[in-house]
Amino acid sequence: MSFKLISQALNRNQPPPRMWRQHPLKDRYDVVIIGGGAHGLACAYYLAKEHGITDVAILEKRYIGAGGSGRNTTILRSNYLTPEGVRFYDESLRLYHQMALEFDYNVMFSKRGHLTLAHSDGAVRTMRRRAEVNRLQGVDSRLIWPEQLKALCPPLDVSENPRHPIQAALFHPPGGVIRHDAVVWGYAHHADRMGAEIHQLTEVSGIRVEKGKVSGVETNRGYIKAGTVLNATAGWCSTISEMAGVKLPVTTFPLQACVTEPLKPFLDVIIVSGSLHVYISQSDRGELVMGASVDPFASYSMRGSLGFTEGLAGHMLELFPSLANARLMRQWAGLCDMTPDYSPIMGFTPVDGFLVDVGWGTYGFKATPSSGKRMAELIATNKTPELIHPFRLSRFYEHDLVGEKGAASVSN
Amino acid sequence: MVLLECPNCGARNVAEFRYGGELKPRPAQPMAGSEESWVDFVFMKQNKLGLQAEWWYHRAGCGIWFMAERHTKSNQVVKTYRWQPAEKAS
């Protein structure tokens, strides 16, 4: 070890110190991706890897992964309610499973098993329906009862004592958690190595459209011509789309989350309660990562609120009475672009060459690999892949919504 | 935002209220509008970053629906007022 250190110090050919490089901004790119989050970077990665398109610029207002990619609670699962959703998120989950191997980089994926609690007859019915839909799509998902739940997660209060006693749970063994920053960095590193350019601190201020076709974007570093522009932002997706004159059915809500001080490992599963609007997992460092549903009113503010902390703590204590003395360490919020049917919006818009990958609500991070792969396919072939066809923007005009009531912010 | 000014009850805890979404003018001639204009009305949102006129409902108080003008980034409420229908729908 020490010998290697010395030889490395004397070696002139140092390994590259940066995971991605800085570039001067060119005045033209084939593809400009607005938003340097996991989605935009994944799209650049797949464009280069699977389609050989490397004249790509990723424009990020702040630093990569500053938005939703670094603010989510890192839960990965595919046990959604609609067949369209299950198929899509399952591809994503399978790509996550092999991500460390693909990147040769430790993304700290940890397969935990995902449990969605049901506290009422109605919720049990929905869980059973979800389990059946999942199994039809080949996803490992089943209903379990309180005794089995207790065996899987001993600290959970499955008695009749809480205000909303647990009646059953949807068990989804492939669900897990991952290190979200590593996912962003992994995509950034490999997209950069294959030729895509990452431009941080580059804010888009306008999009030029000529005769119904996008021609370029204006930024704080100058004008860039572009053949294709992809809006892969969250929180600002309506603002960016409006620059191109595209209307979106999106409302932005903050979603708050928090972590406790590190505790001894005691929780090796992910617990979600749709009725109580909370979810919890224990990170590899021992912190309990907890989140809630979106805030009660639309906002772009990312400040925490007492209402959230109170509500979350109250519900969490109903599930885990033993946490009464755990102390909160940090609290933050991320922006969720909610759509009317709780499904994302991916694909073409009325403006030629302006594409969207938006409306990711509370389910954006877990969709990263698949959305990147399929949006790259869409850009390369100029055709909507079968898998994301249900999520096109025109579904609202065709009255063909995908009512995804299995999303985190929906109680069922 | 901790307090919201109800036009009836004065400043109250925001937890007493329910957010009702951004103000969207209804199509003036409901029967004349195309199907697309109805889709726009029902689904499409401005989702404004900045000052927004929006609906609120005082559910744990007097029960009225009223308007607020709020900055969506700072959550600062500039004013609240009772909704007045437009003089003559154009």
Side-chain angles (χ1 to χ4, degrees):
Chain A
M1 175 67 192
S2 59
F3 175 71
K4 198 176 174 190
L5 201 66
I6 295 164
S7 71
Q8 282 287 334
L10 298 173
N11 188 357
R12 277 175 178 276
N13 299 320
Q14 294 286 342
R18 292 263 171 200
M19 286 191 71
W20 54 91
R21 295 159 294 181
Q22 286 194 342
H23 303 272
L25 199 62
K26 290 195 292 182
D27 59 359
R28 206 213 111 77
Y29 292 92
D30 284 348
V31 181
V32 166
I33 298 172
I34 306 172
H39 277 236
L41 294 164
C43 182
Y45 169 78
Y46 282 107
L47 272 174
K49 182 175 169 242
E50 294 192 344
H51 307 284
I53 299 174
T54 55
D55 190 21
V56 177
I58 299 134
L59 309 181
E60 167 57 45
K61 182 166 81 163
R62 297 174 66 198
Y63 56 91
I64 61 167
S69 313
R71 293 167 186 271
N72 57 75
T73 49
T74 77
I75 295 170
L76 308 178
R77 64 183 175 100
S78 61
N79 59 350
Y80 277 79
L81 181 63
T82 59
E84 297 89 341
V86 175
R87 275 197 291 274
F88 175 75
Y89 292 103
D90 196 48
E91 179 183 85
S92 210
L93 192 57
R94 277 185 275 120
L95 289 168
Y96 265 126
H97 278 227
Q98 66 194 47
M99 184 177 275
L101 202 63
E102 201 175 321
F103 285 174
D104 191 21
Y105 183 57
N106 189 1
V107 288
M108 296 170 77
F109 177 72
S110 163
K111 190 169 153 181
R112 297 284 178 91
H114 182 282
L115 291 156
T116 315
L117 307 179
H119 302 262
S120 67
D121 285 352
V124 174
R125 207 157 48 229
T126 311
M127 295 309 160
R128 182 173 293 287
R129 184 172 150 211
R130 264 169 80 175
E132 296 303 327
V133 171
N134 295 165
R135 276 149 67 170
L136 274 174
Q137 302 299 329
V139 171
D140 189 0
S141 177
R142 59 183 181 270
L143 204 64
I144 60 169
W145 305 106
E147 313 83 70
Q148 297 157 290
L149 191 56
K150 188 76 184 168
L152 273 168
C153 182
L156 192 67
D157 185 359
V158 297
S159 70
E160 293 289 314
N161 298 334
R163 186 165 152 218
H164 303 290
I166 296 163
Q167 314 226 331
L170 183 66
F171 182 38
H172 178 48
V177 292
I178 199 164
R179 185 175 176 215
H180 52 200
D181 295 324
V183 172
V184 171
W185 298 336
Y187 276 126
H189 176 72
H190 288 277
D192 178 87
R193 285 297 168 275
M194 289 187 285
E197 294 183 7
I198 296 167
H199 294 285
Q200 301 184 97
L201 298 174
T202 307
E203 186 171 354
V204 172
S205 53
I207 296 171
R208 282 196 208 162
V209 178
E210 284 163 21
K211 291 180 193 146
K213 186 176 185 338
V214 81
S215 57
V217 297
E218 284 157 34
T219 73
N220 58 347
R221 291 168 65 194
Y223 179 69
I224 311 167
K225 278 192 248 173
T228 303
V229 175
L230 171 65
N231 176 5
T233 56
W236 294 267
C237 75
S238 300
T239 315
I240 296 285
S241 291
E242 206 192 337
M243 292 174 186
V246 171
K247 285 175 283 193
L248 289 179
V250 164
T251 312
T252 302
F253 287 84
L255 187 146
Q256 298 183 52
C258 59
V259 294
T260 65
E261 60 190 343
L263 304 172
K264 280 185 184 175
F266 78 101
L267 184 66
D268 62 355
V269 288
I270 302 162
I271 302 281
V272 180
S273 167
S275 315
L276 301 181
H277 296 291
V278 291
Y279 36 91
I280 180 170
S281 66
Q282 189 167 26
S283 76
D284 293 335
R285 280 181 298 201
E287 301 150 340
L288 296 175
V289 185
M290 305 184 283
S293 61
V294 295
D295 275 8
F297 56 91
S299 175
Y300 289 89
S301 158
M302 283 187 268
R303 292 185 62 174
S305 71
L306 180 64
F308 156 79
T309 322
E310 262 181 352
L312 181 109
H315 289 318
M316 211 49 91
L317 288 180
E318 276 197 30
L319 300 178
F320 297 97
S322 55
L323 289 184
N325 292 321
R327 279 167 295 190
L328 283 193
M329 197 163 68
R330 275 181 292 125
Q331 185 181 353
W332 68 94
L335 297 181
C336 297
D337 291 338
M338 305 309 296
T339 54
D341 56 355
Y342 298 96
S343 286
I345 303 168
M346 282 185 276
F348 298 107
T349 67
V351 175
D352 199 12
F354 181 72
L355 311 173
V356 288
D357 174 32
V358 298
W360 282 105
T362 59
Y363 26 84
F365 180 69
K366 55 180 73 67
T368 297
S370 196
S371 89
K373 188 182 164 85
R374 296 304 170 181
M375 283 309 293
E377 187 184 336
L378 184 144
I379 292 170
T381 60
N382 208 27
K383 276 213 308 263
T384 307
E386 194 64 40
L387 194 68
I388 62 170
H389 180 74
F391 307 120
R392 68 207 180 279
L393 176 59
S394 62
R395 72 176 184 268
F396 296 96
Y397 294 96
E398 292 154 13
H399 307 295
D400 189 17
L401 306 196
V402 189
E404 189 47 86
K405 296 288 168 57
S409 56
V410 191
S411 56
N412 36 48
Chain B
M1 186 165 62
V2 179
L3 294 176
L4 189 63
E5 182 100 11
C6 169
N8 266 342
C9 316
R12 305 289 301 173
N13 189 329
V14 71
E16 289 187 6
F17 299 87
R18 170 170 296 172
Y19 175 66
E22 66 186 41
L23 174 66
K24 284 202 263 181
R26 283 180 80 85
Q29 313 258 295
M31 305 308 285
S34 64
E35 194 174 309
E36 201 181 314
S37 73
W38 275 105
V39 171
D40 286 348
F41 173 71
V42 173
F43 292 124
M44 298 300 154
K45 305 268 170 48
Q46 277 198 310
N47 196 25
K48 219 165 168 185
L49 177 56
L51 210 57
Q52 167 176 285
E54 60 192 20
W55 285 105
W56 284 87
Y57 168 54
H58 197 181
R59 62 174 166 178
C62 62
I64 63 159
W65 283 92
F66 62 98
M67 305 294 308
E69 258 176 43
R70 176 177 62 103
H71 199 288
T72 53
K73 178 80 197 180
S74 65
N75 284 342
Q76 193 193 1
V77 178
V78 179
K79 62 171 179 179
T80 56
Y81 53 96
R82 285 169 197 273
W83 184 68
Q84 301 287 341
E87 289 295 312
K88 255 273 191 252
S90 53

